[in-house]
Amino acid sequence: MSEVELLIRALSLRDELPKAEEQLLRDLPMRVRSFSRGDTLIASGARSTESCLMLSGFSCRELYVEDGKRQIAGVHIGGDFVDLHALLLKIMDHAVVALSDCRAAFVPHAALVGVTQKAPHLTRLLWMSTVIDAAIQRAWITSMGRRSAVQRAGHLICELYTRMDAVGLASRHTLVVPFTQRDLADMLGLSDVHVNRTLRDLRARSLIRWEQQSIIVPDFQALADMAEFDPTYLNLVRVPR
Amino acid sequence: MSEVELLIRALSLRDELPKAEEQLLRDLPMRVRSFSRGDTLIASGARSTESCLMLSGFSCRELYVEDGKRQIAGVHIGGDFVDLHALLLKIMDHAVVALSDCRAAFVPHAALVGVTQKAPHLTRLLWMSTVIDAAIQRAWITSMGRRSAVQRAGHLICELYTRMDAVGLASRHTLVVPFTQRDLADMLGLSDVHVNRTLRDLRARSLIRWEQQSIIVPDFQALADMAEFDPTYLNLVRVPR
DNA sequence: CGTCAGATTGATATTCATCAAGATCGGTGG
DNA sequence: CCACCGATCTTGATGAATATCAATCTGACG
């Protein structure tokens, strides 16, 4: 079982992945490292020569504004090529930080450039993964601009549930997530106090339960309806790309 | 002067563009169409077989939530390959709508797949343009989550100024933009009334003037400082990619 | 000259942030 | 084993930011 199984699974969900391309992924040179919650995987402003693939655990994209307020612009789980865009951007506009203990693989840009030169279809699939990321960001923008706090929180939980379920990381109505309410607040653009009340509200409506580090979603459809969640943007359909 | 000059300029700002690749762009088959303000260039949910390149004028990415509230998730100007991600996404999660009279070129996906097969470097530059788009979206998320209304509006104006200036569409302190205050409200996630007051505030501080369809920024640095605008994320540097 | 979209202003309501104080819980040193 | 400690969660009270509702004003245009 190779380190890139989850990535292969994530790509296979969206298009047929020929064995040869699978092999290219397995053969990518990579340096695997472990991190603890709070560690910085990639610093803001870094000029990377490697891109970072999540193997297990959680990380997030983190930006700070001047008075120390934090905004999280995306959450990443195993199989996400979090930092693929560094291949093109050269200088990071944000940091990637561990939200839980996690493992990540760092792949040299030279190897990825190699993929773009000899494997156009695989290149398109990697490109696709960055573009799905952007679609998720648009959903966040929509939530932050035009949805209430309860809907926003519900929408985020639906997103995480759907994404984790797709790669086999959710089990029967339950998500194991390491987030504190402060983390959630920084994802949703709310204060931690207000997140607490928002979760209480969701609990009171029996849309979620929150035990230890687990979010339990007894009735996904009910939550999705409340939050106006439509999973189309996650592109979980297998079509030629 | 070909239709794709502005695109060539936008890419050249970020990396050297060999003549051969320039020629590939000029040779792309395309169907040019004109639109009036309010027209839909690409409908939400569409399964396109073409991608849309802005030639002139303004468009935006538009999403609606159920009670009819609109959120704009990005603004596009001449030279922006607005809809390049449709090549990978296959089904649109949002609409692209004209914010002014504009012209756009539609390029068949088959031709773009061709580029990915025979021009890896140009492919990376196109990929880059989608990934810069995502960086802009992260800046919007940060603004919406953690900046005040005045900073948010200022930040957006700085973004537009910088992008338009980069491709030669801004002239001495002045931006010609066709936005109504309602458009602006839907970009910023505010009500139109509040946008009006926010602009009044910016005017009162002499950070902008707003005449007809022109935004005048007498002192860009002052506005940027107030809004904490740092243009790094727009990747306006010429480096090998 | 009337009409209509957009801009502006005022009054009020709602949502959410901030400040402050407990409560809970896991971990740690004695 | 127990007392303590810090981080997190929870709740209440208050205030600021922003939305909503309702007029009025302005300017372009038929």
Side-chain angles (χ1 to χ4, degrees):
Chain A
M1 175 96 164
S2 137
E3 302 285 6
V4 295
E5 284 323 304
L6 276 178
L7 172 63
I8 288 172
R9 199 182 307 178
L11 297 181
S12 301
L13 284 168
R14 275 111 176 176
D15 189 2
E16 191 181 330
L17 191 66
K19 286 290 168 207
E21 295 182 357
E22 245 186 58
Q23 199 53 48
L24 276 177
L25 289 175
R26 288 188 219 280
D27 292 345
L28 282 177
M30 51 180 66
R31 195 164 56 90
V32 175
R33 294 174 56 195
S34 293
F35 297 90
S36 307
R37 174 176 164 89
D39 288 351
T40 299
L41 281 71
I42 303 147
S44 182
R47 291 159 203 275
S48 336
T49 57
E50 297 173 315
S51 279
C52 166
L53 165 66
M54 290 297 293
L55 299 176
S56 67
F58 293 79
S59 66
C60 67
R61 305 183 187 285
E62 191 180 85
L63 301 100
Y64 280 89
V65 299
E66 271 174 27
D67 60 359
K69 283 187 287 201
R70 177 176 74 152
Q71 177 65 45
I72 291 175
V75 178
H76 292 281
I77 63 179
D80 286 350
F81 221 138
V82 203
D83 186 33
L84 195 47
H85 57 336
L87 172 63
L88 292 319
L89 290 191
K90 301 304 173 196
I91 176 161
M92 289 290 288
D93 60 286
H94 61 277
V96 176
V97 171
L99 284 176
S100 69
D101 296 350
C102 63
R103 290 190 329 123
F106 291 79
V107 183
H109 286 168
L112 294 170
V113 169
V115 169
T116 68
Q117 282 162 347
K118 58 188 190 235
H121 178 255
L122 182 55
T123 300
R124 291 200 300 278
L125 291 187
L126 293 179
W127 185 353
M128 172 197 72
S129 77
T130 63
V131 147
I132 290 175
D133 235 59
I136 293 172
Q137 289 176 4
R138 280 191 291 277
W140 284 39
I141 289 175
T142 308
S143 276
M144 300 183 81
R146 295 298 182 221
R147 283 195 251 260
S148 68
V150 199
Q151 285 185 308
R152 223 185 290 180
H155 202 278
L156 177 60
I157 292 168
C158 287
E159 176 203 316
L160 289 171
Y161 193 95
T162 307
R163 288 171 58 196
M164 290 176 69
D165 192 41
V167 290
L169 293 174
S171 63
R172 287 172 300 109
H173 304 289
T174 307
L175 286 185
V176 179
V177 293
F179 315 144
T180 64
Q181 293 186 2
R182 169 170 296 275
D183 291 333
L184 228 34
D186 291 337
M187 293 171 200
L188 298 171
L190 298 168
S191 69
D192 47 0
V193 173
H194 201 68
V195 163
N196 184 286
R197 297 190 165 122
T198 302
L199 292 177
R200 183 175 60 183
D201 190 347
L202 283 171
R203 271 194 312 262
R205 304 196 206 179
S206 302
L207 290 171
I208 64 163
R209 295 207 306 278
W210 182 285
E211 287 161 14
Q212 321 280 22
Q213 305 253 291
S214 295
I215 302 176
I216 300 161
V217 183
D219 181 349
F220 182 86
Q221 198 51 51
L223 185 62
D225 288 347
M226 187 281 297
E228 298 184 11
F229 176 80
D230 170 353
T232 310
Y233 71 103
L234 295 174
N235 276 264
L236 289 164
V237 289
R238 210 147 182 265
V239 294
R241 312 219 185 214
Chain B
M1 174 96 165
S2 138
E3 301 285 5
V4 295
E5 285 323 304
L6 276 178
L7 172 63
I8 288 172
R9 199 183 307 178
L11 297 181
S12 302
L13 284 168
R14 275 110 176 177
D15 189 3
E16 191 182 330
L17 191 66
K19 285 291 168 209
E21 296 182 357
E22 245 185 59
Q23 198 53 46
L24 276 177
L25 289 176
R26 289 187 218 280
D27 292 345
L28 281 177
M30 51 181 66
R31 197 165 55 92
V32 175
R33 295 174 56 196
S34 293
F35 298 89
S36 308
R37 173 173 165 91
D39 287 352
T40 299
L41 282 69
I42 303 147
S44 183
R47 292 158 203 275
S48 336
T49 57
E50 298 173 314
S51 280
C52 166
L53 165 66
M54 291 297 292
L55 299 176
S56 66
F58 292 80
S59 66
C60 67
R61 305 182 187 286
E62 191 179 85
L63 299 100
Y64 279 89
V65 299
E66 271 175 26
D67 59 358
K69 283 187 287 201
R70 176 175 74 151
Q71 178 65 45
I72 292 176
V75 177
H76 292 282
I77 63 180
D80 286 350
F81 221 138
V82 204
D83 187 32
L84 194 48
H85 57 336
L87 172 62
L88 291 321
L89 290 191
K90 301 304 172 194
I91 175 162
M92 290 290 287
D93 60 286
H94 61 277
V96 176
V97 171
L99 284 176
S100 69
D101 296 350
C102 63
R103 290 190 328 124
F106 291 78
V107 182
H109 286 169
L112 294 169
V113 169
V115 169
T116 69
Q117 282 160 348
K118 56 187 192 238
H121 178 254
L122 181 55
T123 300
R124 291 201 299 278
L125 291 187
L126 294 179
W127 186 352
M128 173 196 71
S129 77
T130 64
V131 146
I132 291 175
D133 235 59
I136 293 172
Q137 288 177 4
R138 281 192 291 278
W140 283 39
I141 289 175
T142 308
S143 276
M144 300 182 82
R146 295 298 183 222
R147 283 194 250 261
S148 66
V150 200
Q151 284 186 309
R152 223 185 291 180
H155 201 279
L156 177 61
I157 291 168
C158 286
E159 176 203 316
L160 290 172
Y161 192 94
T162 307
R163 287 171 57 196
M164 290 175 69
D165 191 41
V167 290
L169 293 174
S171 63
R172 287 171 301 106
H173 305 288
T174 306
L175 285 185
V176 179
V177 294
F179 316 144
T180 65
Q181 293 186 2
R182 169 170 296 275
D183 291 333
L184 228 34
D186 291 336
M187 294 172 199
L188 299 171
L190 298 168
S191 69
D192 48 359
V193 173
H194 201 69
V195 163
N196 184 285
R197 297 187 166 124
T198 302
L199 291 177
R200 182 174 59 184
D201 189 347
L202 284 171
R203 271 195 312 262
R205 303 195 207 180
S206 303
L207 290 171
I208 65 164
R209 295 205 307 277
W210 180 285
E211 285 161 14
Q212 322 279 20
Q213 304 254 292
S214 295
I215 302 176
I216 300 162
V217 183
D219 180 351
F220 183 86
Q221 198 51 50
L223 184 62
D225 288 346
M226 186 281 297
E228 298 183 10
F229 176 80
D230 170 354
T232 310
Y233 71 104
L234 295 174
N235 277 264
L236 289 165
V237 288
R238 210 146 181 263
V239 294
R241 314 221 185 209

